Amino acid sequence: MSVVPDDHEWQYNPRHSVPDFARHAERAAELSRTVRERRAARYDIAYGDSPLSTLDVFPADAPDAPLHVFLHGGYWRGRDKADYSYVADALVPRGVTTVIMNYDLCPAATLPEIARRTREGLRWIHRNAASLGGDPDRLTVSGHSAGAHLIAMALADDAGADRLEDGAIKAAVLISGIYELAPVLGITVNETIGLRPDMVDGVSPMRHPPSTATALTVVVGSAETPAWIAQSRDFATLCRGRGSRCSYHTLAGEDHFSIMARMERPDDALSRLVLDAAGAKE
């Protein structure tokens, strides 16, 4: 049976819309393996009590460097920080200490739990930035897909007593994220994610937009599905309407998985956006 462009699964499950997604994962894993062989790093630092509340740190040469945190994708149910060590090759050469952060996964944890623990993890990184080789006043973040969603939720302006301190995160780059989660209820991966209708409101950044204190860069690939592109476009529009400093970028020809290949070297298109957000040296 052929897939038609308005098919819900095709629109919201990137593994259906990108037939060669496994090739991108294999490339990322190989690049990351070589980075771990070449670069000094500290691995599996615990930032919380749950099994996957760990992070890897790739330090820049200078102390008190800009500190950047990256969160991987995987629809909250897969992938690992070890698959994205290659991000350090884009940032460390420009003097940015790079943190690759893990988080708990579904179904061992619920999505509301993962979002809360991610916010706690970013708070921990801010408080411990100096011990990681970074400047707490120059902390920025980025994430791809589910990672972008978790960052957006961590920055929610209406998180009450759990809200991140204004200015703790100077800037965030959100790459191919999903920001309204009602569509997730209707795709097959929800069998693992376990999102329930009563959870949707609490974990949808479109309903809980970020603090305007953090500058935002929203990025999506032009070859992603129309529904996925609309998620980024609508979220950027919402954030701008609330007064956020928010730029919106479409990377020509990139799909949901190929877009991360634009963050392998400092001069790549996506790397430049992240480095600009981090205030990195030329």
Side-chain angles (χ1 to χ4, degrees):
M1 179 178 178
S2 61
V3 175
V4 293
D6 62 351
D7 177 76
H8 188 79
E9 186 81 16
W10 183 84
Q11 293 281 0
Y12 289 102
N13 185 346
R15 291 194 175 191
H16 280 233
S17 58
V18 184
D20 63 344
F21 69 88
R23 175 176 61 85
H24 297 290
E26 291 164 3
R27 174 178 171 78
E30 178 59 21
L31 287 173
S32 294
R33 183 188 62 77
T34 64
V35 167
R36 290 192 297 276
E37 292 174 349
R38 288 187 284 103
R39 290 196 178 277
R42 295 163 59 195
Y43 297 106
D44 299 321
I45 299 171
Y47 66 80
D49 297 330
S50 57
L52 288 175
S53 293
T54 60
L55 53 85
D56 298 339
V57 181
F58 295 84
D61 291 337
D64 300 320
L67 185 64
H68 187 82
V69 182
F70 177 82
L71 270 71
H72 66 79
Y75 242 141
W76 312 288
R77 77 203 195 289
R79 307 308 299 274
D80 185 86
K81 58 183 171 57
D83 298 328
Y84 291 90
S85 300
Y86 74 87
V87 170
D89 264 1
L91 307 182
V92 173
R94 292 294 186 267
V96 179
T97 290
T98 304
V99 174
I100 314 295
M101 180 177 169
N102 257 358
Y103 50 85
D104 293 318
L105 299 174
C106 303
T110 67
L111 191 46
E113 289 171 340
I114 296 169
R116 175 178 56 79
R117 292 171 187 170
T118 300
R119 181 184 291 115
E120 292 171 354
L122 293 176
R123 182 178 289 114
W124 185 94
I125 291 169
H126 183 243
R127 290 174 176 170
N128 292 275
S131 69
L132 301 176
D135 181 352
D137 293 327
R138 292 189 289 171
L139 175 60
T140 58
V141 297
S142 65
H144 174 239
S145 195
H149 162 268
L150 291 173
I151 290 170
M153 283 306 307
L155 296 172
D157 207 14
D158 62 354
D162 201 30
R163 187 176 181 271
L164 286 177
E165 176 186 351
D166 275 348
I169 309 295
K170 300 302 180 186
V173 180
L174 307 176
I175 308 158
S176 299
I178 184 166
Y179 307 104
E180 169 54 57
L181 268 63
V184 176
L185 296 171
I187 58 176
T188 55
V189 294
N190 197 40
E191 295 171 7
T192 303
I193 297 167
L195 183 68
R196 303 191 307 267
D198 62 289
M199 295 178 179
V200 169
D201 178 76
V203 292
S204 290
M206 283 294 293
R207 311 183 197 195
H208 305 277
S211 165
T212 57
T214 299
L216 303 172
T217 302
V218 179
V219 190
V220 70
S222 70
E224 304 203 48
T225 64
W228 207 279
I229 293 171
Q231 288 262 340
S232 289
R233 184 188 62 241
D234 293 350
F235 187 66
T237 299
L238 172 70
C239 293
R240 286 171 176 165
R242 298 182 70 253
S244 290
R245 294 163 291 156
C246 179
S247 63
Y248 175 72
H249 305 265
T250 301
L251 293 192
E254 303 300 342
D255 62 44
H256 190 76
F257 298 100
S258 70
I259 194 169
M260 281 304 298
R262 307 290 289 273
M263 199 171 172
E264 295 177 3
R265 294 168 297 274
D267 59 349
D268 286 338
L270 187 53
S271 303
R272 292 197 299 269
L273 292 172
V274 173
L275 288 165
D276 286 347
K281 62 186 180 183
E282 293 295 330

mmCIF file of all heavy atoms in Angstrom, residues 100-146:
data_model
loop_
_atom_site.group_PDB
_atom_site.id
_atom_site.type_symbol
_atom_site.label_atom_id
_atom_site.label_comp_id
_atom_site.label_asym_id
_atom_site.label_seq_id
_atom_site.Cartn_x
_atom_site.Cartn_y
_atom_site.Cartn_z
ATOM 1 N N ILE A 100 27.023 16.415 26.369
ATOM 2 C CA ILE A 100 26.019 15.582 25.704
ATOM 3 C C ILE A 100 25.253 14.871 26.807
ATOM 4 O O ILE A 100 25.827 14.111 27.583
ATOM 5 C CB ILE A 100 26.658 14.555 24.744
ATOM 6 C CG1 ILE A 100 27.737 15.224 23.870
ATOM 7 C CG2 ILE A 100 25.581 13.907 23.885
ATOM 8 C CD1 ILE A 100 27.233 16.264 22.919
ATOM 9 N N MET A 101 23.969 15.114 26.867
ATOM 10 C CA MET A 101 23.152 14.749 28.026
ATOM 11 C C MET A 101 22.190 13.615 27.695
ATOM 12 O O MET A 101 21.479 13.658 26.696
ATOM 13 C CB MET A 101 22.378 15.989 28.478
ATOM 14 C CG MET A 101 21.476 15.822 29.671
ATOM 15 S SD MET A 101 20.751 17.452 30.071
ATOM 16 C CE MET A 101 19.490 16.962 31.252
ATOM 17 N N ASN A 102 22.181 12.598 28.528
ATOM 18 C CA ASN A 102 21.164 11.553 28.442
ATOM 19 C C ASN A 102 19.945 11.929 29.276
ATOM 20 O O ASN A 102 19.994 12.838 30.116
ATOM 21 C CB ASN A 102 21.721 10.219 28.939
ATOM 22 C CG ASN A 102 22.065 9.260 27.802
ATOM 23 O OD1 ASN A 102 21.853 9.565 26.639
ATOM 24 N ND2 ASN A 102 22.604 8.110 28.134
ATOM 25 N N TYR A 103 18.868 11.186 29.075
ATOM 26 C CA TYR A 103 17.670 11.349 29.899
ATOM 27 C C TYR A 103 16.929 10.024 29.904
ATOM 28 O O TYR A 103 17.146 9.167 29.042
ATOM 29 C CB TYR A 103 16.782 12.485 29.364
ATOM 30 C CG TYR A 103 16.472 12.416 27.884
ATOM 31 C CD1 TYR A 103 15.406 11.657 27.393
ATOM 32 C CD2 TYR A 103 17.246 13.110 26.963
ATOM 33 C CE1 TYR A 103 15.122 11.598 26.036
ATOM 34 C CE2 TYR A 103 16.976 13.062 25.599
ATOM 35 C CZ TYR A 103 15.915 12.315 25.147
ATOM 36 O OH TYR A 103 15.633 12.256 23.799
ATOM 37 N N ASP A 104 16.071 9.830 30.876
ATOM 38 C CA ASP A 104 15.314 8.584 30.965
ATOM 39 C C ASP A 104 14.403 8.424 29.759
ATOM 40 O O ASP A 104 14.004 9.415 29.129
ATOM 41 C CB ASP A 104 14.499 8.558 32.256
ATOM 42 C CG ASP A 104 15.387 8.496 33.477
ATOM 43 O OD1 ASP A 104 16.371 7.748 33.457
ATOM 44 O OD2 ASP A 104 15.101 9.213 34.452
ATOM 45 N N LEU A 105 14.081 7.185 29.439
ATOM 46 C CA LEU A 105 13.323 6.882 28.231
ATOM 47 C C LEU A 105 12.022 6.160 28.562
ATOM 48 O O LEU A 105 11.911 5.454 29.563
ATOM 49 C CB LEU A 105 14.175 5.998 27.298
ATOM 50 C CG LEU A 105 15.493 6.616 26.798
ATOM 51 C CD1 LEU A 105 16.280 5.571 26.018
ATOM 52 C CD2 LEU A 105 15.250 7.860 25.960
ATOM 53 N N CYS A 106 11.050 6.345 27.679
ATOM 54 C CA CYS A 106 9.810 5.580 27.753
ATOM 55 C C CYS A 106 10.092 4.148 27.289
ATOM 56 O O CYS A 106 10.949 3.942 26.420
ATOM 57 C CB CYS A 106 8.747 6.191 26.843
ATOM 58 S SG CYS A 106 8.356 7.922 27.174
ATOM 59 N N PRO A 107 9.405 3.145 27.836
ATOM 60 C CA PRO A 107 8.316 3.245 28.803
ATOM 61 C C PRO A 107 8.767 3.157 30.260
ATOM 62 O O PRO A 107 7.914 3.159 31.147
ATOM 63 C CB PRO A 107 7.452 2.028 28.446
ATOM 64 C CG PRO A 107 8.463 1.000 28.019
ATOM 65 C CD PRO A 107 9.548 1.774 27.293
ATOM 66 N N ALA A 108 10.082 3.089 30.521
ATOM 67 C CA ALA A 108 10.538 3.007 31.912
ATOM 68 C C ALA A 108 10.136 4.250 32.696
ATOM 69 O O ALA A 108 9.920 4.190 33.912
ATOM 70 C CB ALA A 108 12.052 2.807 31.961
ATOM 71 N N ALA A 109 10.046 5.383 32.013
ATOM 72 C CA ALA A 109 9.586 6.623 32.623
ATOM 73 C C ALA A 109 8.488 7.210 31.758
ATOM 74 O O ALA A 109 8.461 6.997 30.540
ATOM 75 C CB ALA A 109 10.742 7.614 32.763
ATOM 76 N N THR A 110 7.565 7.936 32.352
ATOM 77 C CA THR A 110 6.526 8.609 31.577
ATOM 78 C C THR A 110 7.078 9.903 30.998
ATOM 79 O O THR A 110 8.077 10.449 31.482
ATOM 80 C CB THR A 110 5.306 8.944 32.442
ATOM 81 O OG1 THR A 110 5.678 9.942 33.410
ATOM 82 C CG2 THR A 110 4.781 7.699 33.157
ATOM 83 N N LEU A 111 6.426 10.405 29.974
ATOM 84 C CA LEU A 111 6.889 11.638 29.358
ATOM 85 C C LEU A 111 6.864 12.814 30.341
ATOM 86 O O LEU A 111 7.813 13.609 30.365
ATOM 87 C CB LEU A 111 6.072 11.932 28.109
ATOM 88 C CG LEU A 111 6.593 13.038 27.191
ATOM 89 C CD1 LEU A 111 8.091 12.916 26.938
ATOM 90 C CD2 LEU A 111 5.830 13.022 25.879
ATOM 91 N N PRO A 112 5.831 12.977 31.174
ATOM 92 C CA PRO A 112 5.901 14.052 32.170
ATOM 93 C C PRO A 112 7.099 13.896 33.115
ATOM 94 O O PRO A 112 7.731 14.898 33.478
ATOM 95 C CB PRO A 112 4.574 13.927 32.923
ATOM 96 C CG PRO A 112 3.640 13.326 31.925
ATOM 97 C CD PRO A 112 4.484 12.357 31.146
ATOM 98 N N GLU A 113 7.427 12.681 33.495
ATOM 99 C CA GLU A 113 8.592 12.463 34.350
ATOM 100 C C GLU A 113 9.879 12.839 33.625
ATOM 101 O O GLU A 113 10.776 13.470 34.212
ATOM 102 C CB GLU A 113 8.652 11.000 34.794
ATOM 103 C CG GLU A 113 7.596 10.606 35.801
ATOM 104 C CD GLU A 113 7.543 9.108 36.051
ATOM 105 O OE1 GLU A 113 8.043 8.332 35.196
ATOM 106 O OE2 GLU A 113 6.991 8.710 37.095
ATOM 107 N N ILE A 114 9.990 12.471 32.358
ATOM 108 C CA ILE A 114 11.198 12.781 31.588
ATOM 109 C C ILE A 114 11.365 14.295 31.459
ATOM 110 O O ILE A 114 12.465 14.827 31.623
ATOM 111 C CB ILE A 114 11.142 12.114 30.205
ATOM 112 C CG1 ILE A 114 11.141 10.591 30.351
ATOM 113 C CG2 ILE A 114 12.318 12.556 29.346
ATOM 114 C CD1 ILE A 114 10.813 9.855 29.067
ATOM 115 N N ALA A 115 10.270 14.995 31.176
ATOM 116 C CA ALA A 115 10.338 16.452 31.045
ATOM 117 C C ALA A 115 10.773 17.091 32.363
ATOM 118 O O ALA A 115 11.624 18.002 32.372
ATOM 119 C CB ALA A 115 8.979 16.997 30.607
ATOM 120 N N ARG A 116 10.218 16.630 33.473
ATOM 121 C CA ARG A 116 10.590 17.206 34.770
ATOM 122 C C ARG A 116 12.054 16.942 35.092
ATOM 123 O O ARG A 116 12.779 17.838 35.528
ATOM 124 C CB ARG A 116 9.693 16.624 35.862
ATOM 125 C CG ARG A 116 10.083 17.058 37.281
ATOM 126 C CD ARG A 116 9.135 16.481 38.310
ATOM 127 N NE ARG A 116 9.045 15.026 38.238
ATOM 128 C CZ ARG A 116 9.960 14.201 38.755
ATOM 129 N NH1 ARG A 116 11.037 14.675 39.353
ATOM 130 N NH2 ARG A 116 9.780 12.886 38.670
ATOM 131 N N ARG A 117 12.518 15.721 34.836
ATOM 132 C CA ARG A 117 13.907 15.379 35.151
ATOM 133 C C ARG A 117 14.884 16.112 34.232
ATOM 134 O O ARG A 117 16.008 16.423 34.648
ATOM 135 C CB ARG A 117 14.101 13.866 35.048
ATOM 136 C CG ARG A 117 13.357 13.087 36.132
ATOM 137 C CD ARG A 117 13.392 11.598 35.876
ATOM 138 N NE ARG A 117 12.558 10.878 36.817
ATOM 139 C CZ ARG A 117 12.238 9.581 36.711
ATOM 140 N NH1 ARG A 117 12.715 8.878 35.669
ATOM 141 N NH2 ARG A 117 11.473 8.994 37.605
ATOM 142 N N THR A 118 14.470 16.375 32.998
ATOM 143 C CA THR A 118 15.325 17.147 32.103
ATOM 144 C C THR A 118 15.521 18.556 32.646
ATOM 145 O O THR A 118 16.633 19.090 32.656
ATOM 146 C CB THR A 118 14.735 17.202 30.689
ATOM 147 O OG1 THR A 118 14.611 15.871 30.174
ATOM 148 C CG2 THR A 118 15.611 18.023 29.756
ATOM 149 N N ARG A 119 14.443 19.185 33.109
ATOM 150 C CA ARG A 119 14.565 20.516 33.709
ATOM 151 C C ARG A 119 15.483 20.471 34.926
ATOM 152 O O ARG A 119 16.354 21.334 35.103
ATOM 153 C CB ARG A 119 13.191 21.050 34.113
ATOM 154 C CG ARG A 119 13.246 22.454 34.714
ATOM 155 C CD ARG A 119 11.894 22.922 35.207
ATOM 156 N NE ARG A 119 10.974 23.154 34.109
ATOM 157 C CZ ARG A 119 9.862 22.446 33.906
ATOM 158 N NH1 ARG A 119 9.553 21.442 34.715
ATOM 159 N NH2 ARG A 119 9.074 22.736 32.903
ATOM 160 N N GLU A 120 15.330 19.432 35.749
ATOM 161 C CA GLU A 120 16.205 19.289 36.914
ATOM 162 C C GLU A 120 17.659 19.120 36.484
ATOM 163 O O GLU A 120 18.575 19.642 37.127
ATOM 164 C CB GLU A 120 15.762 18.102 37.759
ATOM 165 C CG GLU A 120 14.416 18.309 38.440
ATOM 166 C CD GLU A 120 13.888 17.036 39.096
ATOM 167 O OE1 GLU A 120 14.523 15.962 38.917
ATOM 168 O OE2 GLU A 120 12.840 17.111 39.773
ATOM 169 N N GLY A 121 17.878 18.388 35.384
ATOM 170 C CA GLY A 121 19.230 18.186 34.887
ATOM 171 C C GLY A 121 19.870 19.479 34.418
ATOM 172 O O GLY A 121 21.045 19.750 34.701
ATOM 173 N N LEU A 122 19.108 20.307 33.703
ATOM 174 C CA LEU A 122 19.651 21.586 33.257
ATOM 175 C C LEU A 122 19.933 22.501 34.438
ATOM 176 O O LEU A 122 20.925 23.244 34.432
ATOM 177 C CB LEU A 122 18.686 22.249 32.271
ATOM 178 C CG LEU A 122 18.534 21.526 30.930
ATOM 179 C CD1 LEU A 122 17.483 22.215 30.073
ATOM 180 C CD2 LEU A 122 19.853 21.453 30.176
ATOM 181 N N ARG A 123 19.091 22.437 35.456
ATOM 182 C CA ARG A 123 19.356 23.223 36.664
ATOM 183 C C ARG A 123 20.649 22.747 37.326
ATOM 184 O O ARG A 123 21.467 23.550 37.774
ATOM 185 C CB ARG A 123 18.178 23.108 37.626
ATOM 186 C CG ARG A 123 18.334 23.942 38.898
ATOM 187 C CD ARG A 123 17.121 23.835 39.793
ATOM 188 N NE ARG A 123 15.979 24.531 39.239
ATOM 189 C CZ ARG A 123 14.864 23.945 38.819
ATOM 190 N NH1 ARG A 123 14.737 22.633 38.875
ATOM 191 N NH2 ARG A 123 13.872 24.669 38.346
ATOM 192 N N TRP A 124 20.848 21.420 37.361
ATOM 193 C CA TRP A 124 22.075 20.858 37.949
ATOM 194 C C TRP A 124 23.301 21.322 37.168
ATOM 195 O O TRP A 124 24.330 21.697 37.752
ATOM 196 C CB TRP A 124 21.989 19.338 37.951
ATOM 197 C CG TRP A 124 23.140 18.651 38.627
ATOM 198 C CD1 TRP A 124 23.217 18.238 39.920
ATOM 199 C CD2 TRP A 124 24.409 18.308 38.024
ATOM 200 N NE1 TRP A 124 24.439 17.657 40.175
ATOM 201 C CE2 TRP A 124 25.186 17.688 39.041
ATOM 202 C CE3 TRP A 124 24.950 18.463 36.756
ATOM 203 C CZ2 TRP A 124 26.487 17.219 38.793
ATOM 204 C CZ3 TRP A 124 26.242 18.015 36.510
ATOM 205 C CH2 TRP A 124 26.997 17.402 37.522
ATOM 206 N N ILE A 125 23.227 21.302 35.842
ATOM 207 C CA ILE A 125 24.353 21.726 35.011
ATOM 208 C C ILE A 125 24.677 23.201 35.273
ATOM 209 O O ILE A 125 25.847 23.581 35.389
ATOM 210 C CB ILE A 125 24.050 21.476 33.524
ATOM 211 C CG1 ILE A 125 24.014 19.964 33.249
ATOM 212 C CG2 ILE A 125 25.081 22.157 32.629
ATOM 213 C CD1 ILE A 125 23.475 19.602 31.882
ATOM 214 N N HIS A 126 23.654 24.035 35.371
ATOM 215 C CA HIS A 126 23.888 25.451 35.649
ATOM 216 C C HIS A 126 24.612 25.631 36.978
ATOM 217 O O HIS A 126 25.570 26.407 37.084
ATOM 218 C CB HIS A 126 22.561 26.204 35.643
ATOM 219 C CG HIS A 126 22.706 27.678 35.845
ATOM 220 N ND1 HIS A 126 22.173 28.335 36.937
ATOM 221 C CD2 HIS A 126 23.348 28.620 35.103
ATOM 222 C CE1 HIS A 126 22.460 29.615 36.852
ATOM 223 N NE2 HIS A 126 23.168 29.824 35.756
ATOM 224 N N ARG A 127 24.170 24.898 37.985
ATOM 225 C CA ARG A 127 24.779 25.028 39.312
ATOM 226 C C ARG A 127 26.192 24.458 39.359
ATOM 227 O O ARG A 127 27.011 24.898 40.173
ATOM 228 C CB ARG A 127 23.906 24.316 40.345
ATOM 229 C CG ARG A 127 22.577 25.011 40.606
ATOM 230 C CD ARG A 127 21.699 24.175 41.518
ATOM 231 N NE ARG A 127 20.457 24.869 41.842
ATOM 232 C CZ ARG A 127 19.414 24.311 42.454
ATOM 233 N NH1 ARG A 127 19.479 23.023 42.805
ATOM 234 N NH2 ARG A 127 18.333 25.012 42.711
ATOM 235 N N ASN A 128 26.481 23.505 38.515
ATOM 236 C CA ASN A 128 27.774 22.817 38.541
ATOM 237 C C ASN A 128 28.631 23.139 37.324
ATOM 238 O O ASN A 128 29.588 22.418 37.030
ATOM 239 C CB ASN A 128 27.546 21.305 38.638
ATOM 240 C CG ASN A 128 26.965 20.894 39.972
ATOM 241 O OD1 ASN A 128 27.674 20.689 40.949
ATOM 242 N ND2 ASN A 128 25.637 20.776 40.014
ATOM 243 N N ALA A 129 28.319 24.215 36.649
ATOM 244 C CA ALA A 129 29.017 24.549 35.410
ATOM 245 C C ALA A 129 30.522 24.658 35.604
ATOM 246 O O ALA A 129 31.304 24.176 34.777
ATOM 247 C CB ALA A 129 28.462 25.855 34.834
ATOM 248 N N ALA A 130 30.938 25.278 36.686
ATOM 249 C CA ALA A 130 32.373 25.478 36.900
ATOM 250 C C ALA A 130 33.109 24.152 36.998
ATOM 251 O O ALA A 130 34.209 23.990 36.458
ATOM 252 C CB ALA A 130 32.607 26.320 38.143
ATOM 253 N N SER A 131 32.508 23.176 37.666
ATOM 254 C CA SER A 131 33.169 21.872 37.809
ATOM 255 C C SER A 131 33.209 21.116 36.483
ATOM 256 O O SER A 131 33.998 20.179 36.325
ATOM 257 C CB SER A 131 32.458 21.027 38.871
ATOM 258 O OG SER A 131 31.172 20.620 38.427
ATOM 259 N N LEU A 132 32.376 21.528 35.522
ATOM 260 C CA LEU A 132 32.366 20.918 34.197
ATOM 261 C C LEU A 132 33.290 21.651 33.234
ATOM 262 O O LEU A 132 33.428 21.249 32.073
ATOM 263 C CB LEU A 132 30.942 20.905 33.637
ATOM 264 C CG LEU A 132 29.891 20.149 34.459
ATOM 265 C CD1 LEU A 132 28.508 20.319 33.834
ATOM 266 C CD2 LEU A 132 30.243 18.678 34.607
ATOM 267 N N GLY A 133 33.915 22.717 33.698
ATOM 268 C CA GLY A 133 34.820 23.480 32.852
ATOM 269 C C GLY A 133 34.154 24.598 32.092
ATOM 270 O O GLY A 133 34.706 25.113 31.119
ATOM 271 N N GLY A 134 32.954 25.002 32.541
ATOM 272 C CA GLY A 134 32.209 26.030 31.828
ATOM 273 C C GLY A 134 31.831 27.200 32.698
ATOM 274 O O GLY A 134 31.899 27.136 33.936
ATOM 275 N N ASP A 135 31.400 28.260 32.053
ATOM 276 C CA ASP A 135 30.971 29.489 32.709
ATOM 277 C C ASP A 135 29.456 29.433 32.889
ATOM 278 O O ASP A 135 28.716 29.380 31.902
ATOM 279 C CB ASP A 135 31.365 30.684 31.835
ATOM 280 C CG ASP A 135 30.977 32.020 32.435
ATOM 281 O OD1 ASP A 135 30.262 32.047 33.449
ATOM 282 O OD2 ASP A 135 31.401 33.046 31.874
ATOM 283 N N PRO A 136 28.952 29.455 34.135
ATOM 284 C CA PRO A 136 27.498 29.369 34.331
ATOM 285 C C PRO A 136 26.740 30.535 33.719
ATOM 286 O O PRO A 136 25.526 30.425 33.473
ATOM 287 C CB PRO A 136 27.353 29.353 35.858
ATOM 288 C CG PRO A 136 28.615 29.951 36.381
ATOM 289 C CD PRO A 136 29.679 29.550 35.402
ATOM 290 N N ASP A 137 27.423 31.636 33.459
ATOM 291 C CA ASP A 137 26.773 32.789 32.842
ATOM 292 C C ASP A 137 26.769 32.720 31.327
ATOM 293 O O ASP A 137 26.276 33.640 30.673
ATOM 294 C CB ASP A 137 27.464 34.084 33.300
ATOM 295 C CG ASP A 137 27.263 34.352 34.781
ATOM 296 O OD1 ASP A 137 26.200 33.989 35.299
ATOM 297 O OD2 ASP A 137 28.182 34.917 35.406
ATOM 298 N N ARG A 138 27.335 31.637 30.776
ATOM 299 C CA ARG A 138 27.333 31.460 29.314
ATOM 300 C C ARG A 138 26.866 30.047 28.962
ATOM 301 O O ARG A 138 27.499 29.325 28.210
ATOM 302 C CB ARG A 138 28.724 31.735 28.745
ATOM 303 C CG ARG A 138 29.144 33.189 28.844
ATOM 304 C CD ARG A 138 30.438 33.451 28.076
ATOM 305 N NE ARG A 138 31.599 32.857 28.741
ATOM 306 C CZ ARG A 138 32.804 32.794 28.196
ATOM 307 N NH1 ARG A 138 33.005 33.236 26.956
ATOM 308 N NH2 ARG A 138 33.814 32.281 28.862
ATOM 309 N N LEU A 139 25.719 29.677 29.539
ATOM 310 C CA LEU A 139 25.149 28.350 29.322
ATOM 311 C C LEU A 139 24.076 28.416 28.236
ATOM 312 O O LEU A 139 23.115 29.182 28.333
ATOM 313 C CB LEU A 139 24.537 27.813 30.622
ATOM 314 C CG LEU A 139 23.787 26.484 30.544
ATOM 315 C CD1 LEU A 139 24.691 25.355 30.069
ATOM 316 C CD2 LEU A 139 23.178 26.139 31.905
ATOM 317 N N THR A 140 24.256 27.596 27.191
ATOM 318 C CA THR A 140 23.281 27.497 26.109
ATOM 319 C C THR A 140 22.968 26.027 25.860
ATOM 320 O O THR A 140 23.691 25.138 26.309
ATOM 321 C CB THR A 140 23.801 28.155 24.821
ATOM 322 O OG1 THR A 140 25.035 27.537 24.432
ATOM 323 C CG2 THR A 140 24.023 29.649 25.025
ATOM 324 N N VAL A 141 21.880 25.775 25.133
ATOM 325 C CA VAL A 141 21.435 24.400 24.926
ATOM 326 C C VAL A 141 20.935 24.220 23.501
ATOM 327 O O VAL A 141 20.536 25.181 22.826
ATOM 328 C CB VAL A 141 20.300 24.014 25.915
ATOM 329 C CG1 VAL A 141 20.783 24.067 27.356
ATOM 330 C CG2 VAL A 141 19.087 24.930 25.737
ATOM 331 N N SER A 142 20.970 22.974 23.039
ATOM 332 C CA SER A 142 20.312 22.623 21.780
ATOM 333 C C SER A 142 19.807 21.200 21.891
ATOM 334 O O SER A 142 20.266 20.420 22.735
ATOM 335 C CB SER A 142 21.263 22.765 20.579
ATOM 336 O OG SER A 142 22.336 21.839 20.660
ATOM 337 N N GLY A 143 18.867 20.866 21.030
ATOM 338 C CA GLY A 143 18.343 19.509 21.015
ATOM 339 C C GLY A 143 17.703 19.209 19.683
ATOM 340 O O GLY A 143 17.220 20.116 18.982
ATOM 341 N N HIS A 144 17.697 17.934 19.336
ATOM 342 C CA HIS A 144 17.117 17.484 18.076
ATOM 343 C C HIS A 144 15.875 16.653 18.355
ATOM 344 O O HIS A 144 15.901 15.744 19.196
ATOM 345 C CB HIS A 144 18.133 16.635 17.300
ATOM 346 C CG HIS A 144 17.578 16.003 16.061
ATOM 347 N ND1 HIS A 144 17.556 14.640 15.856
ATOM 348 C CD2 HIS A 144 17.010 16.558 14.953
ATOM 349 C CE1 HIS A 144 17.016 14.380 14.683
ATOM 350 N NE2 HIS A 144 16.672 15.522 14.115
ATOM 351 N N SER A 145 14.775 16.960 17.674
ATOM 352 C CA SER A 145 13.552 16.159 17.727
ATOM 353 C C SER A 145 12.999 16.089 19.153
ATOM 354 O O SER A 145 12.607 17.121 19.711
ATOM 355 C CB SER A 145 13.836 14.773 17.135
ATOM 356 O OG SER A 145 12.648 14.083 16.857
ATOM 357 N N ALA A 146 12.985 14.915 19.764
ATOM 358 C CA ALA A 146 12.512 14.813 21.141
ATOM 359 C C ALA A 146 13.354 15.665 22.077
ATOM 360 O O ALA A 146 12.853 16.208 23.067
ATOM 361 C CB ALA A 146 12.540 13.355 21.600
#
